[in-house]
Amino acid sequence: MNVTIFGATGGVGSKVVEELRSRGHSVTAYVRNPGKVPADWGDTVTVVTGELSDTAAVDRAVQGAEAVISALGPSMDHKTTGLPLVDGTRTIITAMQQHGVRRYVGIATPSVLDPRETPTWQTRLSTFMAKTFLRRAYDELLGMSDIVMTSGLDWTIVRFLAPKNGPVKGNVRHGFYGQTDLGFNITRADIAAFVAAEIDDNRYLKAAPAISN
């Protein structure tokens, strides 16, 4: 498939790019800073550079895609102001709608609830900590997710609590809080593998599954 990924040079996004490449997909990476593009991407990844506010560049990156992945996440820097990723997500979704791209896979935390689940200590803790200590990031995450969930597209939002560095473990639990026995930690490599696999998997269509090791 032709897949466009936003947040492609981040901790999760860069690993998603590698997963997509290993699965034989054609990848377009939208990046803010071309200096962060890994040298080993070479000519195998099409790079589009721009801010999320650059509607023309976002449109160019989405055009021709069969699926879009967003590995964007709110900044944890307390000096950050505004909700730039909310506006950026709206720009991405608009471009997808204009070009008829249906499949969207994004990431979030359990602060974003799926209607299929019941609250647990994980969802309560995640929401409390975010509201109390990272209110701007919390508002941004909810705003991004709301735009996606009400877009009418074929979306999936993959949620996780504590991403860690490390190799793929392969033992990924997935489902909904209150229904599935979910843990706390998960490696970024396992997140990337799960996210990359979702682009052509309909089991969590218009759902927000949670994952853990």
Side-chain angles (χ1 to χ4, degrees), residues 18-38:
E18 294 307 316
E19 275 291 328
L20 293 170
R21 293 172 68 197
S22 70
R23 293 166 185 257
H25 299 298
S26 298
V27 181
T28 296
Y30 194 88
V31 303
R32 180 181 180 184
N33 182 359
K36 292 184 177 181
V37 172

Side-chain angles (χ1 to χ4, degrees), residues 155-166:
W155 58 269
T156 299
I157 295 176
V158 180
R159 299 171 299 153
F160 47 86
L161 271 169
K164 306 292 183 183
N165 290 325

Side-chain angles (χ1 to χ4, degrees), residues 129-147:
M129 295 295 287
K131 281 185 174 180
T132 305
F133 301 107
L134 295 164
R135 184 66 200 214
R136 191 207 63 81
Y138 171 80
D139 289 342
E140 191 162 48
L141 195 61
L142 263 61
M144 294 166 63
S145 299
D146 183 62
I147 290 168

